[in-house]
Amino acid sequence: MKEQDLRHMIAGVKSGQMDRRAFVRRLAAFGIAAPMATQLLVHSGVAMAQTSTQIASTYKATKRGGGGALRVLWWQAATLLNPHFATGTKDQDGSRIFYEPLAAWDGDGNLKAILAAEIPSRENGGIAADGKSVTWKLKPGVKWHDGKPFTADDVVFNWQYASDPATAAVTTGSYKDVKVEKIDDLTVKILFKSPQPFWADAFVGASGMIIPKHLFADFTGAKSREAPANLKPVGTGPYKFKDFRPGDTVLGEINMDYHVPNRPFFDSIEMKGGGDAVSAARAVLQTGEYDFAWNLQVEDEVLTRLEKGGKGRVKITEGAGCEHIQLNNTDPWTEVDGERSSMKTKHPSLTDPAVRDALALLIDRKSIQDYIYGRTGIATSNWVNNPPRFRSKNTSYEFNIDKANALLDKAGWARGADGIRGKGAVKLKYVYQTSINQPRQKTQAIVKQACAKAGIEIEIKSVVASVFFSSDIANPDTYPKFYADLQMYNTGPGQPDPGVWLQLGLTSQIATKANKWQGRNPMRWSNAEFDQLLVASDSELDPVKRVAMLIRCNDIMIEKRAVIPVVYRPGVTGISTRLQANTSGWDSNFYDLADWYMAS
């Protein structure tokens, strides 16, 4: 589709000459999915089609409670319940049982009001014409679980809390460049330094959960980790805190004062953590012991076999997760001022472009898809794989051991008597870490075998998932510390726009001891062109130009091997045949928890 044609169609929707459905159908013919067509309209100043009162719901229950216990299984156990410190999905989802954002992203990429009274738009005056501010009206009558009112003061406090560098919040990227003002008790205004094409970041989705000022005000900045409520949340959500055993179980009980009528359906929720993905899949699909299982990173043939048990089904949700390998740009084996992987060091071999290019050639993505993931992991050369309009057509992948050998030969990395390549005292020997999970260990084995044929020695390291994805700043084995040469995990944008997520490559987001390793960039990778483009895209109101800028950001990361994509991973969950639960690839698994119910 030509840029001129796209602009003409958007203008047609604005003027009323073309309706939304026709616009979405036309773009679908060009491979642009419905949520992305919606976002194109939003970025161009056309209001969301749905608001909190218009979103269709399939919820059938006619009274609050009475549904018994909801049992869900996360094979990576939650370790804390403060969303501002949630380094992994397990902690985000554990927190989401109790805490809520102003709005959430549904599976189609539309905003659903939660603590907001409505979704801001140009029409209702919420979005400023110059794109430099957005005003949120808060839902009246909402109470924290301890009975105190939820007000604009809480919203302003969360901005102050997350944007304070001393707090070292993982959500700081969403708040540090904005200013939040209280208009009245039920209205807040977010001001941007420049026009914002994607304004629905702060207070929205997985990174937008709001904590109560009255319980956290005395625990800001350097004292943030000392708050008792980090482990005993008091939120506004459908369930109230009952008990938490870090690394094991989160228990919640029904909130009888929840701000949505007739919700929730269940009397309690148990989020059980630990074990492995296969046992989690079995517990839902085959035995029916649990109602829902998260992130079934299991070989597809195993999932297919377990589904025959008849107790549950596999649900695949479109999103943008990418299983990828990161290359450390710093030296993880040298300590400077009490910090390994310090920015004061450089990796002795991974800073050589030839080595990085060779490693990219040694990843057999096709075999990893065919023999491990199947329908649950698609080989990819892109870091950004969804939404479709942001997916680059400029990249490709290749598995070629001979070419990798030729690159290393030319760069002067000669084989020693032991067959391992090196230059002087520097050997191509790497520690390659990831979390304990069968597909990941099989992927490690495939990579190790290929690397051996190119004279690269790989030492495989597997870390318990609850440790690898922990926010414990004292633990040396977490992925933000990256005390290894290579590491692999899955991540993706928690919203139908990759702009914020691409901050993983920003120089300003490098994880260091100074920010308690909470920066979004654990690779310690830095590229001036990438930084300039991504920052510029943040204020580019022309949606077509902005897409091109973000695609170029993806391409730079691939060209420079900031990351090596392996497979695109949609959301894969196990769900009881009776459980009715909406899921979204753009938000927390629990974005719609209040609407979950059990069919009779």
Side-chain angles (χ1 to χ4, degrees):
M1 174 178 286
K2 295 180 180 179
E3 177 181 338
Q4 184 177 358
D5 295 335
L6 180 57
R7 294 189 190 283
H8 180 74
M9 290 170 62
I10 292 173
V13 177
K14 280 185 173 182
S15 66
Q17 295 177 337
M18 174 182 285
D19 64 31
R20 290 172 177 271
R21 291 184 179 180
F23 178 81
V24 171
R25 285 196 300 269
R26 288 280 299 277
L27 265 63
F30 291 93
I32 300 176
M36 295 316 99
T38 298
Q39 288 304 305
L40 268 173
L41 292 176
V42 172
H43 294 336
S44 300
V46 183
M48 283 274 184
Q50 299 172 322
T51 67
S52 58
T53 58
Q54 294 171 318
I55 291 180
S57 174
T58 58
Y59 189 70
K60 304 287 186 187
T62 57
K63 69 182 182 70
R64 176 173 288 145
L70 172 65
R71 306 192 70 209
V72 300
L73 195 54
W74 263 240
W75 53 271
Q76 292 176 10
T79 54
L80 56 73
L81 298 175
N82 182 331
H84 291 293
F85 300 141
T87 57
T89 305
K90 59 187 176 51
D91 294 328
Q92 287 180 341
D93 289 347
S95 299
R96 188 65 178 81
I97 294 172
F98 310 106
Y99 293 117
E100 297 178 303
L102 294 185
W105 294 104
D106 71 11
D108 291 327
N110 294 309
L111 282 172
K112 175 182 179 180
I114 304 294
L115 292 177
E118 61 184 2
I119 300 300
S121 67
R122 294 274 180 88
E123 285 76 4
N124 64 25
I127 301 176
D130 63 3
K132 297 182 72 172
S133 69
V134 58
T135 300
W136 288 91
K137 294 184 181 299
L138 310 184
K139 189 175 184 179
V142 177
K143 295 180 180 179
W144 295 103
H145 292 155
D146 60 6
K148 296 193 179 295
F150 163 72
T151 71
D153 290 327
D154 295 299
V155 180
V156 174
F157 169 75
N158 275 255
W159 160 64
Q160 295 168 333
Y161 179 91
S163 60
D164 183 349
T167 302
V170 297
T171 54
T172 185
S174 298
Y175 298 96
K176 65 183 180 65
D177 294 326
V178 303
K179 181 179 180 181
V180 181
E181 295 179 347
K182 174 184 175 180
I183 305 301
D184 57 45
D185 282 348
L186 292 176
T187 312
V188 295
K189 187 174 186 178
I190 303 175
L191 298 110
F192 308 113
K193 293 180 178 179
S194 57
Q196 271 306 295
F198 187 75
W199 51 266
D201 179 25
F203 310 112
V204 173
S207 64
M209 287 176 268
I210 298 172
I211 60 177
K213 176 182 179 180
H214 65 279
L215 293 180
F216 285 91
D218 292 334
F219 300 95
T220 60
K223 296 175 63 179
S224 61
R225 299 279 172 164
E226 301 171 15
N230 286 341
L231 300 177
K232 296 181 178 180
V234 175
T236 58
Y239 297 95
K240 299 170 69 172
F241 176 79
K242 183 177 182 182
D243 191 23
F244 177 42
R245 295 189 292 276
D248 186 4
T249 308
V250 181
L251 296 176
E253 58 187 4
I254 191 169
N255 177 10
M256 294 304 291
D257 291 323
Y258 188 55
H259 55 85
V260 180
N262 301 327
R263 291 166 173 79
F265 171 81
F266 296 100
D267 300 308
S268 63
I269 180 171
E270 175 191 347
M271 180 183 176
K272 177 68 175 175
D276 57 70
V278 175
S279 59
R282 183 178 294 111
V284 173
L285 305 177
Q286 189 176 64
T287 69
E289 182 182 359
Y290 284 84
D291 304 308
F292 183 92
W294 161 81
N295 189 22
L296 297 186
Q297 192 172 0
V298 179
E299 290 98 320
D300 199 19
E301 64 172 313
V302 175
L303 290 176
T304 301
R305 184 170 68 249
L306 291 175
E307 279 185 294
K308 294 179 181 177
K311 298 290 186 178
R313 65 192 188 279
V314 171
K315 185 172 185 179
I316 295 179
T317 305
E318 281 296 310
C322 183
E323 188 80 10
H324 68 287
I325 297 172
Q326 295 178 351
L327 287 67
N328 201 334
N329 288 266
T330 56
D331 188 346
W333 314 114
T334 298
E335 186 173 298
V336 178
D337 299 329
E339 180 179 12
R340 289 162 56 187
S341 291
S342 167
M343 285 300 293
K344 295 178 181 178
T345 67
K346 288 186 178 181
H347 197 284
S349 61
L350 289 177
T351 47
D352 184 340
V355 175
R356 302 171 83 87
D357 289 344
L359 284 168
L361 288 165
L362 294 169
I363 312 301
D364 190 356
R365 297 165 173 86
K366 190 68 167 60
S367 292
I368 292 169
Q369 174 187 327
D370 291 346
Y371 300 111
I372 300 177
Y373 286 99
R375 60 185 160 150
T376 68
I378 313 304
T380 183
S381 60
N382 278 317
W383 176 234
V384 179
N385 291 280
N386 254 341
R389 69 189 180 103
F390 292 105
R391 189 184 303 144
S392 175
K393 297 180 180 179
N394 307 319
T395 68
S396 61
Y397 65 84
E398 180 182 8
F399 175 58
N400 194 321
I401 295 174
D402 291 339
K403 187 179 287 188
N405 273 307
L407 277 175
L408 295 172
D409 286 338
K410 185 177 181 181
W413 294 95
R415 290 179 186 266
D418 57 0
I420 307 303
R421 292 180 181 272
K423 280 185 183 180
V426 179
K427 292 282 190 177
L428 298 190
K429 293 184 176 183
Y430 302 126
V431 173
Y432 170 22
Q433 70 177 15
T434 188
S435 63
I436 294 176
N437 168 274
Q438 197 170 59
R440 285 193 173 133
Q441 270 68 76
K442 289 191 173 184
T443 300
Q444 282 180 310
I446 289 174
V447 173
K448 178 176 181 175
Q449 184 180 40
C451 284
K453 294 177 181 178
I456 299 174
E457 182 179 284
I458 296 291
E459 177 186 335
I460 287 175
K461 179 179 178 181
S462 302
V463 183
V464 174
S466 59
V467 172
F468 188 68
F469 295 104
S470 170
S471 60
D472 180 4
I473 60 176
N475 199 307
D477 290 326
T478 63
Y479 80 85
K481 283 193 171 176
F482 198 177
Y483 289 171
D485 304 289
L486 310 171
Q487 69 178 1
M488 179 176 67
Y489 60 95
N490 175 71
T491 184
Q495 49 202 191
D497 184 286
V500 174
W501 179 61
L502 279 164
Q503 290 180 6
L504 181 138
L506 273 181
T507 302
S508 62
Q509 283 291 319
I510 288 174
T512 65
K513 182 180 178 181
N515 61 29
K516 299 179 183 178
W517 296 279
Q518 299 305 300
R520 292 177 173 176
N521 179 349
M523 305 97 64
R524 284 79 170 171
W525 177 74
S526 179
N527 181 276
E529 182 188 358
F530 178 91
D531 288 351
Q532 184 179 3
L533 263 178
L534 188 59
V535 170
S537 73
D538 196 43
S539 57
E540 178 52 69
L541 293 180
D542 185 313
V544 179
K545 287 183 179 178
R546 183 167 179 272
V547 167
M549 295 167 80
L550 294 180
I551 287 175
R552 178 56 190 155
C553 285
N554 171 88
D555 294 349
I556 293 170
M557 293 187 76
I558 301 306
E559 291 166 9
K560 302 300 183 182
R561 311 299 181 195
V563 295
I564 301 176
V566 181
V567 291
Y568 153 63
R569 286 183 52 206
V572 181
T573 54
I575 184 169
S576 162
T577 52
R578 293 180 55 221
L579 180 63
Q580 306 301 304
N582 293 322
T583 54
S584 171
W586 311 113
D587 208 327
S588 165
N589 290 276
F590 287 148
Y591 92 94
D592 202 31
L593 181 61
D595 274 3
W596 288 21
Y597 71 97
M598 201 70 75
S600 56

